Amino acid sequence: MEDIEDLLAGNGGVAPGFRLPLTSVGLNPKKKIPIKPKQFLVQDPLQSIKIPGTQSDSEYMAGQLSAYGYTLTDTAEDADLWLINTCTVKSPSQSAMDTIISKGKSAKKPLVVAGCVPQGSRNLKELEGVSIVGVQQIDRVVEVVEETLKGHEVRLLNRRTLPALELPKVRKNKFVEILPINVGCLGACTYCKTKHARGHLGSYTVDSLVRRVKTVISEGVREIWLSSEDTGAYGRDIGVNLPILLNAIIAELPSTGSTMLRVGMTNPPYILEHLEEIAEVLRHPCVYSFLHVPVQSGSDAVLTAMNREYTVKEFRTVVDTLSKLVPGMQIATDIICGFPGETDDDFAVTVELIKQYKFAQVHISQFYPRPGTPAARMKKVPSAVVKKRSRELTAVFESFTPYNGMEGQIERIWITDIATDGTHLVGHTKGYIQVLVDAPESLLGASAMVRITSVGRWSVFGEVIEVLNHASKDKTSNETNAGLEGCSPCSANDEPCACTKEPDPCSCAVECGDSRAGTTISANGMPTGNQNLDEQLIRKRKTIVSERSEKTVPLEQPQAKKSMEEVRASIMKWNFVDKALLAGIFLSFFMVVASTVFLWFRT
C-alpha cells in the first residue's frame, strides 16, 4: 500500500480532488477476523433525488467490492463496515452524512467516507477517526476497505489519473449505464464547494468513451446517460468538444433505436457556440430531445454575484434556439432562491422567467452557505424570506400543466424502470416525458408504441399498442446486473427539488436540489433508507396478478384453447395418485361409520 498517504490520521493533508454526491456500503465478514467480508450494504439517506454522477461512482465502487468477493446485503445493523459516498454541494447533504457517521460510531462500525466532502474538507471534525478515499481514488476502494477492517485509519486523497472506465461495475438498473465523460469544471461559482473537491476539468478521451459505449450496448443497456459536473465543457482540456463526442457515440448506437442516449447537464456558456450542432444531435432518433440547462436566477445582477459567466439573455438564446430547432424539445432548469443580495425585484424577474417558459421540470433550491466559499461571506437574505420565495416559486411551477393535450397521442417510449406504486412500468418519450404503463415486467428494457390515455402533473399514462424491441428476446442482455429503483417525482416543500425524479449531477455549476447524504456498507447489509451507492439497491416490486399480462397487447401469441372434449377427456384420466386418494376417502368414511356403530351398541 505504498501510496496510501496517511495510514494514520493527522499526518497532514493533500491537495483536494474532485467528486460529487453521497452513498454508503456495508461489509460483513463471516469470520471473526475481518479480512475479507462477504457482503456489503449500500445506503443513502436522501434517496428522493437521483444523481447520475454520484450513481456512477457508487456503481463502480460496488462493482469492485463485488468482484473481490463482497455481496450486497440489506441489514445495516449486521454490517461490519460502512462506506459513505458524499456530496459537498449543499448543507442538507453534509448534515445527512454527519448523522450517518454519528450512528456508525455509536454502533462501533468501522467507517470509510468517500466523495466530495472528505476530498474538499478533509479536516472536518466529523471525519476524525474514519478512513477516507478520494474522488480520484475510487479504483482503490477495496484496499481502503481492507485496511480499515484491519483497524487502520486510511487517508487516500492524492489526485492521480482519472479512474478507468472499465472498472468492475454493479448497475443499480441493468438497463441504464451512467457514463462519466469528464470530472471537475471550468467555472468558479461563488456559492459552490464542489470545485474545491472535484478540481479542474479532466476529460476522458473520445476513444475510451466510445469503447465503453460499445461494451455496454453489448451487455443489453437501453439508456446511456452522459454524466459530469458540466457536460458542455467536455473536451476543452484535451482539444475536442462535446459535439465531436456526441457524434462519435451516435455512430455506435443500434439503428433499431433500441438504445437511447441522454445528454447530461450543461451550462449556457459552453454550448452557446455549438447550439446548431447540439440541436442536430438532439434531433437524432436515438437521442432524447431533452437537456438540463441551469439558469439559477432571472436577474443578471444575481448571476454576476454568483459568477455564473452568462447573462439571462444568453440563457434565453439557448432555450429559444433549441426549442426552435428540435421538435418536442424539453428543457429542465435550476433556480436558487435567496442568494445573498437577491432583492424582491430580482426574485420577481426570476418568477417571470419561469412563468414565460413554463418549464416542465424546475429544480428549486434554497441558498445554503458552504463554508470556505465567497458566497458564505456575503450578506445573507433572511431565512424567512428565502423560504417564502421558495414556496412562492414552487406554487407557480406546480400550477403549470405541461402535458395537457397529449391524450390520444401515439408515442414511442423506452421502458427501463418500475414505478414506486409497484404496478406500473416507467418509460420515456423521445422528449423524456415520463409515461406510466400497466404492463408485465417482461417489457422492461423494451421499446414500445403507446397511446396516451390520461395526463397528470408529473407524468402521463399510456397503453401499449405495439412492442418494437423486446429485451427478453435480446441475447446480449446482461443478466448479472440486478437492481431496479422505482421512480417518482419529488415535491418541494422545504426540499430543494420541486419536480423531477432524475436530475443531473450537482456540480460547481449547479446548486440544484440534488443534495444527498450517505450510504452504509455492511458485510451482510443492504441499503436502507435513501442511497447513492443506494443506486445499486433493488426496490422490491409488488407481485402483480396474472390478469395484467393478459391485458397487454401484442406480446406473445396466445396458446390455442383446448376443446371441451379435450378438457373432459383430461378430467376423466385418473392416475395412481387420484385412485389412492379416492380409496383413502372411502376407507376413512368406513372407519367413521364403524366407530359410530360400535359406540352405539356399547352404549
Side-chain angles (χ1 to χ4, degrees), residues 566-586:
E566 290 174 311
V567 175
R568 289 193 189 98
S570 64
I571 293 173
M572 294 305 294
K573 290 179 182 177
W574 289 49
N575 59 26
F576 174 77
V577 175
D578 297 326
K579 294 174 182 177
L581 288 173
L582 185 61
I585 292 171
F586 278 120

Side-chain angles (χ1 to χ4, degrees), residues 102-325:
S102 177
K103 288 181 178 178
K105 288 180 176 178
S106 298
K108 302 190 183 306
K109 303 289 185 184
L111 300 174
V112 175
V113 179
C116 281
V117 172
Q119 189 78 71
S121 306
R122 57 191 177 277
N123 295 321
L124 284 175
K125 182 179 179 182
E126 290 78 10
L127 296 177
E128 292 177 3
V130 304
S131 291
I132 292 173
V133 57
V135 295
Q136 280 186 329
Q137 303 281 20
I138 61 172
D139 55 339
R140 301 185 61 191
V141 66
V142 172
E143 296 174 62
V144 176
V145 164
E146 293 213 321
E147 288 300 314
T148 303
L149 287 169
K150 293 175 184 176
H152 299 147
E153 183 180 337
V154 179
R155 298 205 163 198
L156 183 59
L157 291 168
N158 277 349
R159 297 189 195 179
R160 303 197 182 281
T161 58
L162 297 176
L165 293 171
E166 293 76 20
L167 289 172
K169 192 172 188 178
V170 176
R171 293 190 191 94
K172 165 251 167 191
N173 183 329
K174 70 178 180 180
F175 298 114
V176 177
E177 168 71 8
I178 301 165
L179 181 61
I181 63 173
N182 55 263
V183 291
C185 66
L186 295 174
C189 302
T190 56
Y191 55 79
C192 181
K193 184 82 170 177
T194 304
K195 189 165 185 177
H196 296 186
R198 303 291 284 186
H200 198 65
L201 182 69
S203 303
Y204 287 95
T205 65
V206 172
D207 288 345
S208 65
L209 291 165
V210 168
R211 282 196 303 271
R212 181 63 184 168
V213 166
K214 290 180 179 178
T215 298
V216 302
I217 290 174
S218 71
E219 293 171 348
V221 160
R222 298 308 191 205
E223 285 187 5
I224 299 171
W225 297 356
L226 301 187
S227 167
S228 77
E229 280 70 66
D230 186 355
T231 303
Y234 169 80
R236 289 172 178 255
D237 57 323
I238 57 175
V240 293
N241 59 40
L242 182 61
I244 291 174
L245 172 65
L246 294 178
N247 285 305
I249 291 176
I250 287 172
E252 302 301 329
L253 300 178
S255 59
T256 59
S258 59
T259 300
M260 293 293 286
L261 179 69
R262 194 185 88 170
V263 182
M265 186 280 296
T266 183
N267 287 298
Y270 305 117
I271 58 169
L272 278 166
E273 62 191 270
H274 301 302
L275 281 180
E276 291 192 4
E277 295 168 277
I278 297 292
E280 184 178 357
V281 168
L282 295 173
R283 287 195 299 267
H284 192 280
C286 295
V287 181
Y288 285 120
S289 303
F290 169 83
L291 198 60
H292 178 185
V293 186
V295 63
Q296 307 298 14
S297 175
S299 163
D300 283 338
V302 174
L303 292 178
T304 299
M306 292 178 173
N307 196 27
R308 290 289 289 165
E309 300 180 340
Y310 60 86
T311 64
V312 176
K313 182 180 179 181
E314 289 172 325
F315 172 78
R316 288 179 181 273
T317 298
V318 172
V319 176
D320 294 342
T321 302
L322 293 180
S323 299
K324 177 183 177 182
L325 297 179

